Amino acid sequence: MNTENKAKEQSVLIVPEGTLGERLDVVVAQLCPQYSRSQLQKWIKSGNILLNQKKAKTRDKVFGGEQISVTPVQSEQTHDLPEAIELDIIFEDEHMLVINKPAGLVVHPGAGNLTGTLVNALLAHNEKQKNLPRAGIVHRLDKDTTGLMMVAKTLEAYTALVKQLQARQVKREYLALVSGDVIAGGTIEGNIGRHPRDRKRMTVLTMGGGKTAITHYTVEQRLFQHTLLRVNLETGRTHQIRVHLAWKHMPIVGDRVYGGRPRVPAKLDQEVRNKIQRMNRQALHATRLSLQHPETGKEVSWQVAMPEAMQKLVNSLEIQT
């Protein structure tokens, strides 16, 4: 059973006139946009939202003039344990934090990774994260993808950041080192869904199905038979960049799942060849994050450089030109 924390101050709202028999949960969602509709539905069911001082149901109708009392209560959302895992925190205030995720750090606990995850680290950093869905994590990076991630610290911030993601208002830029000479930038559009035979992989579904996925890319740096791309996500599907670039014959260096065996140019010297062959993770880095601050509404942005191993590989390929 979830354990409840101290309730926040009660808010009393009046249903606008002319509501014309709309459902209570729909009207409350309009009056309290700082909370998700699913959270408000839970509060209606638990009695933390009252209609004319009486417990109500989510489907009850309102017509205007009724009094709605809202008493937000935070309850424990996760039973994962805190672990003292060091975090590279780029920004933090009372509403949110931004971290620079290293390679090898799994975001959410799951089969085979029940501990040692970002969730465990966040719970140790701030115990109140346990009262938020997914411990405040609003988007994810693959285990071996590095770079910027945003995390909410309050329920209001979580809802605001999720809404920005859904409205495609969050700008996320990545650097991807790919095999081959990419002549110019472009846009990749192709619905992404589960692979029909290998359910652990995603794929572009050319015959229909899947979810809309749009990836924009530009040439950041031309290298010896490789290219460093700057990639912008318009949508955020699982493994989107990796799947899209591989589909367009621009596999990310080190991506064994979607890129296959390492493609090493014959004319590279042995030292650089070894670096490519030893790259045991995808050379993909979330380098820039821009959004509207969930409390102030002001545009904020952060940027972090590529991790050392990826930068050294880029430098080695530049020397060959």
Side-chain angles (χ1 to χ4, degrees):
M1 181 179 295
N2 288 345
T3 57
E4 293 187 349
N5 294 330
K6 185 178 179 180
K8 294 183 179 181
E9 185 176 349
Q10 185 183 77
S11 298
V12 178
L13 309 168
I14 303 299
V15 177
E17 297 293 337
T19 308
L20 302 177
E22 288 192 49
R23 285 173 44 145
L24 174 63
D25 60 341
V26 173
V27 174
V28 173
Q30 295 170 351
L31 295 175
C32 302
Q34 69 271 37
Y35 302 114
S36 69
R37 185 171 171 180
S38 62
Q39 180 63 71
L40 293 168
Q41 288 173 334
K42 290 178 183 178
W43 286 339
I44 292 173
K45 293 175 182 177
S46 66
N48 292 101
I49 293 180
L50 301 177
L51 180 62
N52 290 330
Q53 297 303 313
K54 295 180 180 180
K55 190 171 181 179
K57 298 179 180 178
T58 57
R59 295 178 178 272
D60 285 352
K61 306 296 183 181
V62 293
F63 297 89
E66 296 94 336
Q67 183 187 87
I68 296 176
S69 303
V70 182
T71 307
V73 175
Q74 293 185 335
S75 57
E76 192 170 326
Q77 302 285 321
T78 178
H79 297 292
D80 295 303
L81 298 176
E83 293 182 57
I85 301 170
E86 185 177 357
L87 292 173
D88 183 5
I89 298 175
I90 304 301
F91 169 83
E92 182 172 16
D93 63 12
E94 60 185 308
H95 308 284
M96 66 175 294
L97 57 87
V98 176
I99 67 160
N100 182 18
K101 190 186 87 67
L105 180 63
V106 174
V107 173
H108 297 287
N113 296 287
L114 297 177
T115 60
T117 71
L118 177 57
V119 166
N120 301 112
L122 288 170
L123 294 173
H125 176 71
N126 175 23
E127 66 174 0
K128 293 182 180 179
Q129 299 294 137
K130 68 183 180 183
N131 299 320
L132 300 174
R134 300 176 180 270
I137 296 171
V138 295
H139 68 124
R140 62 184 293 275
L141 293 177
D142 296 337
K143 174 183 176 181
D144 290 323
T145 298
T146 59
L148 294 170
M149 285 187 63
M150 57 183 173
V151 179
K153 293 180 65 178
T154 67
L155 197 54
E156 294 89 339
Y158 181 86
T159 302
L161 293 174
V162 168
K163 286 181 177 179
Q164 286 188 54
L165 275 174
Q166 293 172 339
R168 302 182 183 179
Q169 295 171 334
V170 177
K171 298 176 182 177
R172 291 171 287 169
E173 287 187 3
Y174 294 73
L175 291 171
L177 178 61
V178 303
S179 298
D181 297 316
V182 181
I183 304 303
T187 295
I188 304 172
E189 297 187 46
N191 285 19
I192 290 178
R194 291 286 173 187
H195 195 285
R197 292 182 298 277
D198 185 351
R199 305 303 291 176
K200 293 182 179 180
R201 298 177 60 193
M202 309 301 288
T203 189
V204 174
L205 299 173
T206 57
M207 303 301 290
K211 295 182 179 180
T212 301
I214 303 172
T215 304
H216 307 284
Y217 65 95
T218 58
V219 174
E220 180 77 7
Q221 188 177 1
R222 290 185 174 86
L223 305 161
F224 184 75
Q225 297 187 24
H226 290 77
T227 309
L228 184 65
L229 299 179
R230 184 171 291 269
V231 183
N232 285 269
L233 285 179
E234 187 168 326
T235 56
R237 308 306 176 200
T238 301
H239 300 174
Q240 178 174 321
I241 296 175
R242 299 165 63 191
V243 172
H244 267 176
L245 292 180
W247 182 49
K248 289 299 182 179
H249 309 292
M250 300 180 287
I252 297 175
V253 171
D255 191 346
R256 303 292 190 263
V257 176
Y258 297 105
R261 296 177 62 183
R263 302 181 184 185
V264 184
K267 294 183 179 180
L268 277 177
D269 66 41
Q270 191 59 47
E271 182 180 353
V272 182
R273 291 171 64 88
N274 290 340
K275 285 182 180 179
I276 293 176
Q277 291 171 336
R278 287 197 301 264
M279 192 72 176
N280 58 0
R281 68 169 188 84
Q282 62 267 12
L284 180 62
H285 175 68
T287 188
R288 187 177 176 86
L289 177 67
S290 301
L291 52 93
Q292 291 181 339
H293 190 279
E295 176 65 19
T296 67
K298 292 183 179 180
E299 185 79 15
V300 286
S301 182
W302 302 272
Q303 186 165 334
V304 290
M306 290 182 286
E308 185 178 9
M310 185 172 169
Q311 184 64 64
K312 284 184 176 180
L313 184 53
V314 169
N315 293 346
S316 298
L317 290 166
E318 185 179 23
I319 292 171
Q320 298 286 320
T321 60

